Amino acid sequence: MPKPSKAARGKHRWIGVEVNGAGLSRAECESTLGGILSPISFRMFDMRSDSDSALLILKVGLDDYDSTREILEATEGVGTKTSSGKIRLVRERLDLPRPVRKR
């Protein structure tokens, strides 16, 4: 069975998010965002945790993009830094390296 064409696949946006908290793990960030964005389907891609906050990249559907940004901006301790239709641009803006692909 052939893959669906690019036009048939859903449109999405990449959002760069900063979560405040010391030493957050990937699982903690996913559970925190899962509680905040419970009605919205999202996927977490890249993450970098510093001593006081964590930077992450979320992939959300284009239909959910506006509501996702509003919810994240209204939540204490979570904020959006940037967004784009291309993950490469969000990685550059957040200064996140591209992870090594394991084969």
Side-chain angles (χ1 to χ4, degrees):
M1 178 176 239
K3 290 199 281 187
S5 68
K6 187 171 183 178
R9 289 182 249 152
K11 302 274 186 206
H12 56 269
R13 289 290 179 261
W14 303 94
I15 303 175
V17 179
E18 182 177 25
V19 178
N20 294 333
L24 292 172
S25 69
R26 184 178 182 92
E28 291 171 332
C29 289
E30 278 186 304
S31 66
T32 301
L33 291 174
I36 296 168
L37 301 173
S38 59
I40 297 170
S41 175
F42 72 92
R43 185 166 171 210
M44 194 167 105
F45 275 74
D46 299 350
M47 180 190 164
R48 182 180 67 202
S49 183
D50 294 334
S51 60
D52 58 342
S53 66
L55 293 173
L56 358 139
I57 298 178
L58 300 180
K59 178 183 176 182
V60 296
L62 186 59
D63 297 336
D64 298 329
Y65 170 71
D66 290 328
S67 58
T68 302
R69 294 245 350 205
E70 289 172 7
I71 292 169
L72 290 175
E73 288 296 327
T75 305
E76 178 103 15
V78 178
T80 59
K81 302 288 266 176
T82 186
S83 63
S84 177
K86 299 180 187 295
I87 191 170
R88 176 183 55 84
L89 296 175
V90 176
R91 281 182 179 139
E92 286 176 5
R93 294 172 189 163
L94 294 178
D95 196 29
L96 291 173
R98 184 175 179 200
V100 178
R101 186 173 179 186
K102 298 173 187 168
R103 294 184 182 231

